[in-house]
PDB file of all heavy atoms in Angstrom:
ATOM      1  N   PRO A   1      -4.625   1.507 -10.225  1.00  0.00           N
ATOM      2  CA  PRO A   1      -3.432   1.270 -11.057  1.00  0.00           C
ATOM      3  C   PRO A   1      -2.210   2.046 -10.587  1.00  0.00           C
ATOM      4  O   PRO A   1      -1.087   1.529 -10.656  1.00  0.00           O
ATOM      5  CB  PRO A   1      -3.865   1.690 -12.465  1.00  0.00           C
ATOM      6  CG  PRO A   1      -5.082   2.512 -12.292  1.00  0.00           C
ATOM      7  CD  PRO A   1      -5.721   2.093 -10.994  1.00  0.00           C
ATOM      8  N   ILE A   2      -2.429   3.244 -10.073  1.00  0.00           N
ATOM      9  CA  ILE A   2      -1.296   4.022  -9.570  1.00  0.00           C
ATOM     10  C   ILE A   2      -0.701   3.344  -8.342  1.00  0.00           C
ATOM     11  O   ILE A   2       0.526   3.272  -8.181  1.00  0.00           O
ATOM     12  CB  ILE A   2      -1.733   5.466  -9.218  1.00  0.00           C
ATOM     13  CG1 ILE A   2      -2.339   6.162 -10.439  1.00  0.00           C
ATOM     14  CG2 ILE A   2      -0.580   6.266  -8.636  1.00  0.00           C
ATOM     15  CD1 ILE A   2      -1.441   6.235 -11.653  1.00  0.00           C
ATOM     16  N   THR A   3      -1.559   2.799  -7.490  1.00  0.00           N
ATOM     17  CA  THR A   3      -1.085   2.089  -6.299  1.00  0.00           C
ATOM     18  C   THR A   3      -0.315   0.838  -6.694  1.00  0.00           C
ATOM     19  O   THR A   3       0.691   0.504  -6.067  1.00  0.00           O
ATOM     20  CB  THR A   3      -2.256   1.759  -5.362  1.00  0.00           C
ATOM     21  OG1 THR A   3      -2.951   2.975  -5.038  1.00  0.00           O
ATOM     22  CG2 THR A   3      -1.779   1.101  -4.084  1.00  0.00           C
ATOM     23  N   SER A   4      -0.756   0.156  -7.746  1.00  0.00           N
ATOM     24  CA  SER A   4      -0.013  -1.013  -8.238  1.00  0.00           C
ATOM     25  C   SER A   4       1.391  -0.618  -8.659  1.00  0.00           C
ATOM     26  O   SER A   4       2.359  -1.320  -8.365  1.00  0.00           O
ATOM     27  CB  SER A   4      -0.744  -1.653  -9.424  1.00  0.00           C
ATOM     28  OG  SER A   4      -1.948  -2.208  -9.013  1.00  0.00           O
ATOM     29  N   PHE A   5       1.499   0.506  -9.349  1.00  0.00           N
ATOM     30  CA  PHE A   5       2.820   1.015  -9.728  1.00  0.00           C
ATOM     31  C   PHE A   5       3.657   1.279  -8.482  1.00  0.00           C
ATOM     32  O   PHE A   5       4.833   0.917  -8.416  1.00  0.00           O
ATOM     33  CB  PHE A   5       2.689   2.291 -10.567  1.00  0.00           C
ATOM     34  CG  PHE A   5       3.982   3.036 -10.686  1.00  0.00           C
ATOM     35  CD1 PHE A   5       4.961   2.612 -11.566  1.00  0.00           C
ATOM     36  CD2 PHE A   5       4.240   4.139  -9.891  1.00  0.00           C
ATOM     37  CE1 PHE A   5       6.177   3.292 -11.665  1.00  0.00           C
ATOM     38  CE2 PHE A   5       5.439   4.822  -9.976  1.00  0.00           C
ATOM     39  CZ  PHE A   5       6.414   4.393 -10.866  1.00  0.00           C
ATOM     40  N   LEU A   6       3.057   1.939  -7.479  1.00  0.00           N
ATOM     41  CA  LEU A   6       3.790   2.263  -6.255  1.00  0.00           C
ATOM     42  C   LEU A   6       4.252   1.006  -5.525  1.00  0.00           C
ATOM     43  O   LEU A   6       5.363   0.980  -4.976  1.00  0.00           O
ATOM     44  CB  LEU A   6       2.931   3.138  -5.339  1.00  0.00           C
ATOM     45  CG  LEU A   6       2.610   4.533  -5.888  1.00  0.00           C
ATOM     46  CD1 LEU A   6       1.611   5.235  -4.972  1.00  0.00           C
ATOM     47  CD2 LEU A   6       3.865   5.353  -6.076  1.00  0.00           C
ATOM     48  N   VAL A   7       3.432  -0.041  -5.529  1.00  0.00           N
ATOM     49  CA  VAL A   7       3.826  -1.318  -4.920  1.00  0.00           C
ATOM     50  C   VAL A   7       5.056  -1.866  -5.635  1.00  0.00           C
ATOM     51  O   VAL A   7       6.028  -2.284  -5.002  1.00  0.00           O
ATOM     52  CB  VAL A   7       2.663  -2.329  -4.938  1.00  0.00           C
ATOM     53  CG1 VAL A   7       3.139  -3.755  -4.687  1.00  0.00           C
ATOM     54  CG2 VAL A   7       1.616  -1.941  -3.905  1.00  0.00           C
ATOM     55  N   GLY A   8       5.037  -1.843  -6.954  1.00  0.00           N
ATOM     56  CA  GLY A   8       6.186  -2.332  -7.715  1.00  0.00           C
ATOM     57  C   GLY A   8       7.431  -1.503  -7.473  1.00  0.00           C
ATOM     58  O   GLY A   8       8.534  -2.039  -7.325  1.00  0.00           O
ATOM     59  N   TYR A   9       7.255  -0.200  -7.406  1.00  0.00           N
ATOM     60  CA  TYR A   9       8.394   0.690  -7.166  1.00  0.00           C
ATOM     61  C   TYR A   9       8.973   0.460  -5.775  1.00  0.00           C
ATOM     62  O   TYR A   9      10.192   0.361  -5.599  1.00  0.00           O
ATOM     63  CB  TYR A   9       7.950   2.136  -7.347  1.00  0.00           C
ATOM     64  CG  TYR A   9       9.100   3.107  -7.424  1.00  0.00           C
ATOM     65  CD1 TYR A   9       9.813   3.268  -8.604  1.00  0.00           C
ATOM     66  CD2 TYR A   9       9.468   3.862  -6.314  1.00  0.00           C
ATOM     67  CE1 TYR A   9      10.865   4.163  -8.678  1.00  0.00           C
ATOM     68  CE2 TYR A   9      10.526   4.756  -6.381  1.00  0.00           C
ATOM     69  CZ  TYR A   9      11.223   4.900  -7.565  1.00  0.00           C
ATOM     70  OH  TYR A   9      12.270   5.777  -7.642  1.00  0.00           O
ATOM     71  N   ALA A  10       8.088   0.339  -4.782  1.00  0.00           N
ATOM     72  CA  ALA A  10       8.545   0.072  -3.411  1.00  0.00           C
ATOM     73  C   ALA A  10       9.289  -1.251  -3.346  1.00  0.00           C
ATOM     74  O   ALA A  10      10.326  -1.364  -2.689  1.00  0.00           O
ATOM     75  CB  ALA A  10       7.363   0.067  -2.446  1.00  0.00           C
ATOM     76  N   ALA A  11       8.776  -2.262  -4.030  1.00  0.00           N
ATOM     77  CA  ALA A  11       9.440  -3.572  -4.038  1.00  0.00           C
ATOM     78  C   ALA A  11      10.826  -3.465  -4.668  1.00  0.00           C
ATOM     79  O   ALA A  11      11.787  -4.058  -4.169  1.00  0.00           O
ATOM     80  CB  ALA A  11       8.582  -4.593  -4.780  1.00  0.00           C
ATOM     81  N   ALA A  12      10.941  -2.701  -5.742  1.00  0.00           N
ATOM     82  CA  ALA A  12      12.242  -2.532  -6.394  1.00  0.00           C
ATOM     83  C   ALA A  12      13.228  -1.831  -5.471  1.00  0.00           C
ATOM     84  O   ALA A  12      14.410  -2.203  -5.420  1.00  0.00           O
ATOM     85  CB  ALA A  12      12.074  -1.744  -7.693  1.00  0.00           C
ATOM     86  N   LEU A  13      12.757  -0.841  -4.736  1.00  0.00           N
ATOM     87  CA  LEU A  13      13.636  -0.131  -3.798  1.00  0.00           C
ATOM     88  C   LEU A  13      14.099  -1.040  -2.661  1.00  0.00           C
ATOM     89  O   LEU A  13      15.134  -0.791  -2.056  1.00  0.00           O
ATOM     90  CB  LEU A  13      12.922   1.091  -3.216  1.00  0.00           C
ATOM     91  CG  LEU A  13      12.673   2.240  -4.188  1.00  0.00           C
ATOM     92  CD1 LEU A  13      11.856   3.329  -3.506  1.00  0.00           C
ATOM     93  CD2 LEU A  13      13.979   2.810  -4.719  1.00  0.00           C
ATOM     94  N   ARG A  14      13.320  -2.071  -2.391  1.00  0.00           N
ATOM     95  CA  ARG A  14      13.645  -3.022  -1.316  1.00  0.00           C
ATOM     96  C   ARG A  14      14.375  -4.246  -1.860  1.00  0.00           C
ATOM     97  O   ARG A  14      14.265  -5.323  -1.310  1.00  0.00           O
ATOM     98  CB  ARG A  14      12.366  -3.452  -0.612  1.00  0.00           C
ATOM     99  CG  ARG A  14      11.648  -2.301   0.042  1.00  0.00           C
ATOM    100  CD  ARG A  14      10.312  -2.711   0.564  1.00  0.00           C
ATOM    101  NE  ARG A  14       9.632  -1.555   1.138  1.00  0.00           N
ATOM    102  CZ  ARG A  14       8.382  -1.556   1.529  1.00  0.00           C
ATOM    103  NH1 ARG A  14       7.655  -2.658   1.421  1.00  0.00           N
ATOM    104  NH2 ARG A  14       7.838  -0.479   2.030  1.00  0.00           N
ATOM    105  N   ALA A  15      15.080  -4.106  -2.918  1.00  0.00           N
ATOM    106  CA  ALA A  15      15.888  -5.156  -3.549  1.00  0.00           C
ATOM    107  C   ALA A  15      15.078  -6.097  -4.419  1.00  0.00           C
ATOM    108  O   ALA A  15      15.605  -7.066  -4.932  1.00  0.00           O
ATOM    109  CB  ALA A  15      16.705  -5.940  -2.523  1.00  0.00           C
ATOM    110  N   GLY A  16      13.813  -5.841  -4.615  1.00  0.00           N
ATOM    111  CA  GLY A  16      12.994  -6.606  -5.544  1.00  0.00           C
ATOM    112  C   GLY A  16      12.681  -8.009  -5.088  1.00  0.00           C
ATOM    113  O   GLY A  16      12.904  -8.389  -3.946  1.00  0.00           O
ATOM    114  N   GLY A  17      12.136  -8.769  -5.996  1.00  0.00           N
ATOM    115  CA  GLY A  17      11.751 -10.143  -5.724  1.00  0.00           C
ATOM    116  C   GLY A  17      10.294 -10.255  -5.324  1.00  0.00           C
ATOM    117  O   GLY A  17       9.651  -9.286  -4.925  1.00  0.00           O
ATOM    118  N   ALA A  18       9.774 -11.463  -5.448  1.00  0.00           N
ATOM    119  CA  ALA A  18       8.367 -11.726  -5.152  1.00  0.00           C
ATOM    120  C   ALA A  18       8.029 -11.412  -3.698  1.00  0.00           C
ATOM    121  O   ALA A  18       6.950 -10.910  -3.399  1.00  0.00           O
ATOM    122  CB  ALA A  18       8.023 -13.177  -5.484  1.00  0.00           C
ATOM    123  N   GLY A  19       8.939 -11.687  -2.790  1.00  0.00           N
ATOM    124  CA  GLY A  19       8.696 -11.408  -1.377  1.00  0.00           C
ATOM    125  C   GLY A  19       8.543  -9.921  -1.115  1.00  0.00           C
ATOM    126  O   GLY A  19       7.682  -9.500  -0.330  1.00  0.00           O
ATOM    127  N   ALA A  20       9.367  -9.107  -1.764  1.00  0.00           N
ATOM    128  CA  ALA A  20       9.277  -7.656  -1.608  1.00  0.00           C
ATOM    129  C   ALA A  20       7.969  -7.127  -2.181  1.00  0.00           C
ATOM    130  O   ALA A  20       7.355  -6.219  -1.609  1.00  0.00           O
ATOM    131  CB  ALA A  20      10.466  -6.969  -2.274  1.00  0.00           C
ATOM    132  N   VAL A  21       7.517  -7.708  -3.286  1.00  0.00           N
ATOM    133  CA  VAL A  21       6.229  -7.322  -3.869  1.00  0.00           C
ATOM    134  C   VAL A  21       5.106  -7.662  -2.895  1.00  0.00           C
ATOM    135  O   VAL A  21       4.232  -6.847  -2.618  1.00  0.00           O
ATOM    136  CB  VAL A  21       5.991  -8.000  -5.237  1.00  0.00           C
ATOM    137  CG1 VAL A  21       4.584  -7.737  -5.737  1.00  0.00           C
ATOM    138  CG2 VAL A  21       7.013  -7.513  -6.260  1.00  0.00           C
ATOM    139  N   SER A  22       5.127  -8.873  -2.354  1.00  0.00           N
ATOM    140  CA  SER A  22       4.084  -9.294  -1.412  1.00  0.00           C
ATOM    141  C   SER A  22       4.057  -8.413  -0.175  1.00  0.00           C
ATOM    142  O   SER A  22       2.987  -8.035   0.306  1.00  0.00           O
ATOM    143  CB  SER A  22       4.280 -10.756  -1.000  1.00  0.00           C
ATOM    144  OG  SER A  22       3.943 -11.606  -2.058  1.00  0.00           O
ATOM    145  N   GLU A  23       5.218  -8.082   0.350  1.00  0.00           N
ATOM    146  CA  GLU A  23       5.276  -7.245   1.553  1.00  0.00           C
ATOM    147  C   GLU A  23       4.739  -5.845   1.268  1.00  0.00           C
ATOM    148  O   GLU A  23       3.939  -5.312   2.040  1.00  0.00           O
ATOM    149  CB  GLU A  23       6.712  -7.160   2.089  1.00  0.00           C
ATOM    150  CG  GLU A  23       6.840  -6.288   3.310  1.00  0.00           C
ATOM    151  CD  GLU A  23       5.953  -6.679   4.486  1.00  0.00           C
ATOM    152  OE1 GLU A  23       5.637  -7.883   4.640  1.00  0.00           O
ATOM    153  OE2 GLU A  23       5.552  -5.776   5.251  1.00  0.00           O
ATOM    154  N   ALA A  24       5.143  -5.233   0.172  1.00  0.00           N
ATOM    155  CA  ALA A  24       4.635  -3.905  -0.183  1.00  0.00           C
ATOM    156  C   ALA A  24       3.137  -3.967  -0.443  1.00  0.00           C
ATOM    157  O   ALA A  24       2.389  -3.065  -0.061  1.00  0.00           O
ATOM    158  CB  ALA A  24       5.378  -3.360  -1.413  1.00  0.00           C
ATOM    159  N   ASN A  25       2.695  -5.035  -1.060  1.00  0.00           N
ATOM    160  CA  ASN A  25       1.279  -5.230  -1.339  1.00  0.00           C
ATOM    161  C   ASN A  25       0.477  -5.318  -0.043  1.00  0.00           C
ATOM    162  O   ASN A  25      -0.560  -4.676   0.107  1.00  0.00           O
ATOM    163  CB  ASN A  25       1.095  -6.492  -2.185  1.00  0.00           C
ATOM    164  CG  ASN A  25      -0.308  -6.625  -2.696  1.00  0.00           C
ATOM    165  OD1 ASN A  25      -0.776  -5.760  -3.421  1.00  0.00           O
ATOM    166  ND2 ASN A  25      -0.977  -7.699  -2.327  1.00  0.00           N
ATOM    167  N   ARG A  26       0.963  -6.102   0.911  1.00  0.00           N
ATOM    168  CA  ARG A  26       0.280  -6.227   2.207  1.00  0.00           C
ATOM    169  C   ARG A  26       0.243  -4.883   2.929  1.00  0.00           C
ATOM    170  O   ARG A  26      -0.779  -4.501   3.507  1.00  0.00           O
ATOM    171  CB  ARG A  26       0.961  -7.275   3.075  1.00  0.00           C
ATOM    172  CG  ARG A  26       0.591  -8.700   2.719  1.00  0.00           C
ATOM    173  CD  ARG A  26       1.092  -9.698   3.766  1.00  0.00           C
ATOM    174  NE  ARG A  26       2.550  -9.766   3.818  1.00  0.00           N
ATOM    175  CZ  ARG A  26       3.288 -10.521   3.018  1.00  0.00           C
ATOM    176  NH1 ARG A  26       2.713 -11.266   2.102  1.00  0.00           N
ATOM    177  NH2 ARG A  26       4.602 -10.531   3.132  1.00  0.00           N
ATOM    178  N   GLN A  27       1.341  -4.162   2.891  1.00  0.00           N
ATOM    179  CA  GLN A  27       1.409  -2.858   3.551  1.00  0.00           C
ATOM    180  C   GLN A  27       0.377  -1.891   2.990  1.00  0.00           C
ATOM    181  O   GLN A  27      -0.348  -1.242   3.734  1.00  0.00           O
ATOM    182  CB  GLN A  27       2.792  -2.233   3.376  1.00  0.00           C
ATOM    183  CG  GLN A  27       3.813  -2.695   4.363  1.00  0.00           C
ATOM    184  CD  GLN A  27       5.096  -1.900   4.177  1.00  0.00           C
ATOM    185  OE1 GLN A  27       5.799  -2.064   3.197  1.00  0.00           O
ATOM    186  NE2 GLN A  27       5.366  -1.021   5.124  1.00  0.00           N
ATOM    187  N   VAL A  28       0.318  -1.794   1.673  1.00  0.00           N
ATOM    188  CA  VAL A  28      -0.576  -0.815   1.058  1.00  0.00           C
ATOM    189  C   VAL A  28      -2.040  -1.241   1.186  1.00  0.00           C
ATOM    190  O   VAL A  28      -2.924  -0.384   1.309  1.00  0.00           O
ATOM    191  CB  VAL A  28      -0.163  -0.521  -0.402  1.00  0.00           C
ATOM    192  CG1 VAL A  28      -0.679  -1.557  -1.374  1.00  0.00           C
ATOM    193  CG2 VAL A  28      -0.607   0.860  -0.823  1.00  0.00           C
ATOM    194  N   THR A  29      -2.308  -2.533   1.221  1.00  0.00           N
ATOM    195  CA  THR A  29      -3.681  -2.990   1.443  1.00  0.00           C
ATOM    196  C   THR A  29      -4.148  -2.568   2.831  1.00  0.00           C
ATOM    197  O   THR A  29      -5.242  -2.018   2.996  1.00  0.00           O
ATOM    198  CB  THR A  29      -3.791  -4.517   1.277  1.00  0.00           C
ATOM    199  OG1 THR A  29      -3.418  -4.865  -0.065  1.00  0.00           O
ATOM    200  CG2 THR A  29      -5.209  -5.007   1.526  1.00  0.00           C
ATOM    201  N   GLY A  30      -3.324  -2.813   3.826  1.00  0.00           N
ATOM    202  CA  GLY A  30      -3.655  -2.393   5.189  1.00  0.00           C
ATOM    203  C   GLY A  30      -3.805  -0.889   5.296  1.00  0.00           C
ATOM    204  O   GLY A  30      -4.706  -0.384   5.975  1.00  0.00           O
ATOM    205  N   LEU A  31      -2.929  -0.166   4.627  1.00  0.00           N
ATOM    206  CA  LEU A  31      -2.995   1.290   4.633  1.00  0.00           C
ATOM    207  C   LEU A  31      -4.308   1.782   4.028  1.00  0.00           C
ATOM    208  O   LEU A  31      -4.955   2.679   4.571  1.00  0.00           O
ATOM    209  CB  LEU A  31      -1.804   1.877   3.874  1.00  0.00           C
ATOM    210  CG  LEU A  31      -1.732   3.393   3.781  1.00  0.00           C
ATOM    211  CD1 LEU A  31      -1.613   4.020   5.169  1.00  0.00           C
ATOM    212  CD2 LEU A  31      -0.563   3.802   2.913  1.00  0.00           C
ATOM    213  N   ALA A  32      -4.723   1.193   2.915  1.00  0.00           N
ATOM    214  CA  ALA A  32      -5.978   1.600   2.265  1.00  0.00           C
ATOM    215  C   ALA A  32      -7.170   1.317   3.164  1.00  0.00           C
ATOM    216  O   ALA A  32      -8.086   2.139   3.268  1.00  0.00           O
ATOM    217  CB  ALA A  32      -6.142   0.880   0.925  1.00  0.00           C
ATOM    218  N   GLU A  33      -7.171   0.172   3.823  1.00  0.00           N
ATOM    219  CA  GLU A  33      -8.274  -0.162   4.733  1.00  0.00           C
ATOM    220  C   GLU A  33      -8.310   0.803   5.915  1.00  0.00           C
ATOM    221  O   GLU A  33      -9.381   1.282   6.301  1.00  0.00           O
ATOM    222  CB  GLU A  33      -8.155  -1.608   5.196  1.00  0.00           C
ATOM    223  CG  GLU A  33      -8.397  -2.600   4.086  1.00  0.00           C
ATOM    224  CD  GLU A  33      -8.020  -4.027   4.421  1.00  0.00           C
ATOM    225  OE1 GLU A  33      -7.223  -4.245   5.365  1.00  0.00           O
ATOM    226  OE2 GLU A  33      -8.527  -4.930   3.735  1.00  0.00           O
ATOM    227  N   GLN A  34      -7.150   1.090   6.473  1.00  0.00           N
ATOM    228  CA  GLN A  34      -7.054   2.024   7.598  1.00  0.00           C
ATOM    229  C   GLN A  34      -7.462   3.433   7.160  1.00  0.00           C
ATOM    230  O   GLN A  34      -8.208   4.119   7.855  1.00  0.00           O
ATOM    231  CB  GLN A  34      -5.633   2.038   8.148  1.00  0.00           C
ATOM    232  CG  GLN A  34      -5.423   3.021   9.280  1.00  0.00           C
ATOM    233  CD  GLN A  34      -3.962   3.048   9.739  1.00  0.00           C
ATOM    234  OE1 GLN A  34      -3.143   2.226   9.339  1.00  0.00           O
ATOM    235  NE2 GLN A  34      -3.634   4.019  10.561  1.00  0.00           N
ATOM    236  N   TRP A  35      -6.984   3.857   6.023  1.00  0.00           N
ATOM    237  CA  TRP A  35      -7.282   5.180   5.480  1.00  0.00           C
ATOM    238  C   TRP A  35      -8.783   5.358   5.309  1.00  0.00           C
ATOM    239  O   TRP A  35      -9.348   6.382   5.707  1.00  0.00           O
ATOM    240  CB  TRP A  35      -6.548   5.323   4.147  1.00  0.00           C
ATOM    241  CG  TRP A  35      -6.501   6.683   3.563  1.00  0.00           C
ATOM    242  CD1 TRP A  35      -5.577   7.652   3.819  1.00  0.00           C
ATOM    243  CD2 TRP A  35      -7.405   7.231   2.603  1.00  0.00           C
ATOM    244  NE1 TRP A  35      -5.851   8.764   3.058  1.00  0.00           N
ATOM    245  CE2 TRP A  35      -6.966   8.539   2.305  1.00  0.00           C
ATOM    246  CE3 TRP A  35      -8.533   6.740   1.962  1.00  0.00           C
ATOM    247  CZ2 TRP A  35      -7.623   9.355   1.400  1.00  0.00           C
ATOM    248  CZ3 TRP A  35      -9.199   7.555   1.062  1.00  0.00           C
ATOM    249  CH2 TRP A  35      -8.743   8.852   0.782  1.00  0.00           C
ATOM    250  N   ALA A  36      -9.446   4.346   4.730  1.00  0.00           N
ATOM    251  CA  ALA A  36     -10.890   4.412   4.513  1.00  0.00           C
ATOM    252  C   ALA A  36     -11.643   4.437   5.836  1.00  0.00           C
ATOM    253  O   ALA A  36     -12.610   5.188   5.994  1.00  0.00           O
ATOM    254  CB  ALA A  36     -11.347   3.231   3.659  1.00  0.00           C
ATOM    255  N   ALA A  37     -11.219   3.626   6.802  1.00  0.00           N
ATOM    256  CA  ALA A  37     -11.875   3.590   8.108  1.00  0.00           C
ATOM    257  C   ALA A  37     -11.758   4.928   8.815  1.00  0.00           C
ATOM    258  O   ALA A  37     -12.720   5.406   9.431  1.00  0.00           O
ATOM    259  CB  ALA A  37     -11.284   2.478   8.970  1.00  0.00           C
ATOM    260  N   GLU A  38     -10.594   5.553   8.734  1.00  0.00           N
ATOM    261  CA  GLU A  38     -10.399   6.861   9.360  1.00  0.00           C
ATOM    262  C   GLU A  38     -11.310   7.910   8.741  1.00  0.00           C
ATOM    263  O   GLU A  38     -11.883   8.741   9.428  1.00  0.00           O
ATOM    264  CB  GLU A  38      -8.945   7.302   9.254  1.00  0.00           C
ATOM    265  CG  GLU A  38      -8.033   6.516  10.157  1.00  0.00           C
ATOM    266  CD  GLU A  38      -6.546   6.807   9.919  1.00  0.00           C
ATOM    267  OE1 GLU A  38      -6.221   7.589   9.005  1.00  0.00           O
ATOM    268  OE2 GLU A  38      -5.733   6.201  10.644  1.00  0.00           O
ATOM    269  N   ARG A  39     -11.466   7.860   7.430  1.00  0.00           N
ATOM    270  CA  ARG A  39     -12.347   8.812   6.752  1.00  0.00           C
ATOM    271  C   ARG A  39     -13.793   8.557   7.102  1.00  0.00           C
ATOM    272  O   ARG A  39     -14.558   9.481   7.287  1.00  0.00           O
ATOM    273  CB  ARG A  39     -12.155   8.732   5.255  1.00  0.00           C
ATOM    274  CG  ARG A  39     -10.938   9.463   4.934  1.00  0.00           C
ATOM    275  CD  ARG A  39     -10.118   9.772   4.076  1.00  0.00           C
ATOM    276  NE  ARG A  39      -8.916  10.456   4.186  1.00  0.00           N
ATOM    277  CZ  ARG A  39      -7.871  10.213   4.946  1.00  0.00           C
ATOM    278  NH1 ARG A  39      -7.891   9.303   5.840  1.00  0.00           N
ATOM    279  NH2 ARG A  39      -6.783  10.907   4.847  1.00  0.00           N
ATOM    280  N   GLU A  40     -14.157   7.287   7.213  1.00  0.00           N
ATOM    281  CA  GLU A  40     -15.529   6.926   7.592  1.00  0.00           C
ATOM    282  C   GLU A  40     -15.824   7.381   9.016  1.00  0.00           C
ATOM    283  O   GLU A  40     -16.873   7.943   9.293  1.00  0.00           O
ATOM    284  CB  GLU A  40     -15.735   5.420   7.467  1.00  0.00           C
ATOM    285  CG  GLU A  40     -17.153   4.982   7.712  1.00  0.00           C
ATOM    286  CD  GLU A  40     -17.321   3.495   7.512  1.00  0.00           C
ATOM    287  OE1 GLU A  40     -16.960   3.008   6.437  1.00  0.00           O
ATOM    288  OE2 GLU A  40     -17.811   2.835   8.462  1.00  0.00           O
ATOM    289  N   ASN A  41     -14.886   7.150   9.912  1.00  0.00           N
ATOM    290  CA  ASN A  41     -15.074   7.580  11.307  1.00  0.00           C
ATOM    291  C   ASN A  41     -15.123   9.102  11.405  1.00  0.00           C
ATOM    292  O   ASN A  41     -15.868   9.636  12.210  1.00  0.00           O
ATOM    293  CB  ASN A  41     -13.962   7.025  12.197  1.00  0.00           C
ATOM    294  CG  ASN A  41     -14.078   5.528  12.384  1.00  0.00           C
ATOM    295  OD1 ASN A  41     -15.143   4.956  12.215  1.00  0.00           O
ATOM    296  ND2 ASN A  41     -12.978   4.887  12.705  1.00  0.00           N
ATOM    297  N   GLY A  42     -14.319   9.780  10.623  1.00  0.00           N
ATOM    298  CA  GLY A  42     -14.336  11.239  10.619  1.00  0.00           C
ATOM    299  C   GLY A  42     -15.659  11.780  10.095  1.00  0.00           C
ATOM    300  O   GLY A  42     -16.202  12.750  10.627  1.00  0.00           O
ATOM    301  N   ALA A  43     -16.214  11.144   9.076  1.00  0.00           N
ATOM    302  CA  ALA A  43     -17.503  11.558   8.526  1.00  0.00           C
ATOM    303  C   ALA A  43     -18.623  11.291   9.509  1.00  0.00           C
ATOM    304  O   ALA A  43     -19.569  12.074   9.629  1.00  0.00           O
ATOM    305  CB  ALA A  43     -17.769  10.854   7.202  1.00  0.00           C
TER     306      ALA A  43
END
C-alpha cells in the first residue's frame, strides 16, 4: 500500500494522468523485481 501511494505521488509530480500512473507503476514493478533478485543473489 505504501508503494501504491508512492506511485500516485510520482505520477502527480510528473503532471498526472493515467499515462503517468502507468509509467510510475511499470518503473516500481521493475524496481521491486530487481531489488528482490539482488537480495536473492546476495543471499
Side-chain angles (χ1 to χ4, degrees):
I2 302 303
T3 304
S4 293
F5 165 78
L6 294 173
V7 164
Y9 193 80
L13 290 175
R14 298 172 182 171
V21 172
S22 287
E23 179 57 30
N25 189 61
R26 281 190 294 275
Q27 276 186 289
V28 82
T29 299
L31 180 62
E33 292 168 340
Q34 178 183 351
W35 192 87
E38 288 172 357
R39 281 173 187 55
E40 185 177 306
N41 290 338

